[in-house]
Amino acid sequence: MKKIICLLGITLFILSCEQPEVGYISDNIHSLQDTITVPRGVFFSSVPPAVEGSTYPMEWAITSITDKNGKVTTELQDKHEILTWTAPFDPTTDTTLELAMKKLKLSPQPSIIMNPVSGEFVFTQASKSVVEDNFIVNVSAKNVRGERQLDNFTRVKMGPFVPVEFKTEMRSRLQLGKGAGAYDTGYTYSVLNDSDPKVAGVLNGTDPYITITKISEEPKLAIKVKMIIADSHGAALDPNKVVFNYSGSAPLQNYHDNTIGTVLDSESTTFGLPAPPFPQYARNYTGNDAYLMYYLTTADAFTVDKAAFEAANGVKDWSKYIDPATGQIRNRAYIRWGMKINDSGTWEIRMKIPYTTKK
């Protein structure tokens, strides 16, 4: 009996000396995106992978990349000189070109980078130089418990370069004034997002109300954006009649916040940054709504084209919108942009206001 007790004691002692297992690493770590579709030439990031309960911190690395046929390739990891912003443009601090240029860095970068902590993939503007379209990415993941080699972790499909993204709804709106600063919506023309079938016309200049076209390859690295607001017949307004849209005492976010100086001529306002994208600064919103940029027109910019309106929309009672002092319909334009321009050069953004005639 004493021997049995002694043996049990020795066994318990030995067991108590063994180190407990530390951490856990799953056999089912996987990407949440079977295929990551990447627009060429644009900064883009993936979602973090699923670690399935594995102990943090994790350490991630790309081990190899192959083409669609399984042949090892370095094309996504080859470096190219690109001009990048180290921090977004901020009009409150970047008040001169010299100050803004301090945020720009010309450096060799690969097209793909894997965040070693989060496991996210980041795709840089260097991807504009990538020739092949399809890749398979193999990675490793490790933690205190061990390491997993994750072959065929995800596929990367390179899409075409997207010079303009339609991040949120754009609106060209005629507002009808009831007096005392109150307005009704008379008519709204909108382009919703990248999937809107109107996008093709916007980019090739054939859309009836909103167009975004590149008019010069210069400047090569910088970007200029020429904004024109016109009546429904195409006659451009004096840019001094295009004003901020205020919320309380402060204007809503606008392109004047996204430029180092403005250039006005008889029909346009031109904004500029030393490198795309444009815009970058949003004073009110985040996410896709950060690309909303607002303006109004003054009350003396247009007259309402009643005949055209009624021909398209039916007879309307205009009486509550008539200004008794002038006998004309009170009106203004509500202007809402919502795109992101990723390319350098000079761009013209033009918006016609429905059923209006320039005074």
Side-chain angles (χ1 to χ4, degrees):
M1 185 68 178
K2 288 182 179 179
K3 288 183 178 179
I4 293 172
I5 293 173
C6 182
L7 287 171
L8 285 172
I10 293 170
T11 301
L12 289 171
F13 175 77
I14 292 171
L15 289 174
S16 69
C17 291
E18 291 182 0
Q19 295 296 319
E21 292 185 354
V22 177
Y24 169 73
I25 187 164
S26 172
D27 291 323
N28 191 34
I29 298 171
H30 60 279
S31 172
L32 292 174
Q33 296 169 280
D34 291 335
T35 299
I36 305 170
T37 301
V38 181
R40 278 178 169 86
V42 177
F43 183 87
F44 184 86
S45 60
S46 71
V47 299
V51 300
E52 301 296 344
S54 299
T55 303
Y56 286 100
M58 301 286 292
E59 184 178 334
W60 301 86
I62 295 172
T63 54
S64 65
I65 299 175
T66 67
D67 63 19
K68 63 181 180 181
N69 298 315
K71 182 180 178 181
V72 174
T73 176
T74 62
E75 189 175 8
L76 287 181
Q77 294 166 299
D78 293 340
K79 294 184 177 181
H80 303 273
E81 289 277 340
I82 59 171
L83 186 63
T84 56
W85 291 87
T86 59
F89 176 80
D90 186 337
T92 63
T93 56
D94 305 330
T95 53
T96 67
L97 179 60
E98 290 74 21
L99 289 171
M101 291 295 290
K102 291 180 179 180
K103 288 185 172 180
L104 288 170
K105 182 180 180 181
L106 185 65
S107 62
Q109 294 292 334
S111 297
I112 188 173
I113 300 169
M114 190 173 201
N115 186 313
V117 176
S118 69
E120 295 169 280
F121 293 108
V122 172
F123 298 87
T124 73
Q125 294 90 328
S127 64
K128 194 173 183 180
S129 301
V130 173
V131 176
E132 294 297 323
D133 291 332
N134 297 285
F135 300 89
I136 300 168
V137 183
N138 308 308
V139 309
S140 68
K142 64 182 179 180
N143 64 6
V144 66
R145 181 64 180 151
E147 184 173 357
R148 296 286 183 266
Q149 175 61 38
L150 307 169
D151 292 331
N152 300 309
F153 185 67
T154 192
R155 294 176 180 270
V156 173
K157 180 176 178 58
M158 302 302 301
F161 175 56
V162 181
V164 182
E165 297 176 77
F166 295 83
K167 307 295 283 188
T168 189
E169 183 181 357
M170 302 191 294
R171 296 173 186 164
S172 172
R173 175 178 290 169
L174 170 65
Q175 293 185 322
L176 302 173
K178 298 186 291 186
Y183 286 85
D184 286 340
T185 296
Y187 185 86
T188 301
Y189 182 85
S190 64
V191 177
L192 298 178
N193 51 38
D194 284 315
S195 301
D196 195 314
K198 297 172 186 172
V199 163
V202 172
L203 294 176
N204 67 26
T206 62
D207 188 85
Y209 290 109
I210 301 173
T211 57
I212 302 169
T213 55
K214 189 173 187 178
I215 59 175
S216 175
E217 295 294 333
E218 296 293 337
K220 291 292 186 184
L221 296 178
I223 181 170
K224 291 183 179 179
V225 177
K226 182 178 183 180
M227 181 175 73
I228 298 173
I229 306 301
D231 69 11
S232 57
H233 310 286
L237 279 185
D238 176 347
N240 290 303
K241 293 190 177 183
V242 181
V243 296
F244 295 135
N245 187 344
Y246 276 81
S247 175
S249 60
L252 293 172
Q253 53 198 38
N254 57 79
Y255 290 138
H256 285 73
D257 284 343
N258 284 273
T259 186
I260 301 172
T262 56
V263 178
L264 275 69
D265 59 24
S266 62
E267 64 175 25
S268 68
T269 304
T270 299
F271 312 99
L273 288 174
F278 180 92
Q280 295 187 37
Y281 180 80
R283 63 167 68 205
N284 301 109
Y285 307 118
T286 59
N288 284 343
D289 287 347
Y291 297 94
L292 289 171
M293 300 289 151
Y294 296 91
Y295 292 93
L296 300 171
T297 58
T298 57
D300 62 345
F302 301 116
T303 59
V304 176
D305 189 340
K306 292 193 297 182
F309 185 99
E310 293 186 346
N313 303 286
V315 176
K316 183 175 182 65
D317 180 5
W318 302 95
S319 57
K320 63 180 176 180
Y321 306 118
I322 300 295
D323 184 347
T326 64
Q328 295 185 337
I329 299 170
R330 290 179 290 246
N331 73 91
R332 69 181 182 186
Y334 170 92
I335 297 154
R336 174 173 141 158
W337 299 101
M339 73 288 181
K340 176 188 178 188
I341 302 177
N342 297 308
D343 201 8
S344 59
T346 300
W347 291 79
E348 179 187 278
I349 61 173
R350 179 184 290 262
M351 185 179 290
K352 296 179 184 178
I353 309 305
Y355 307 115
T356 59
T357 301
K358 176 184 172 181
K359 282 187 176 180

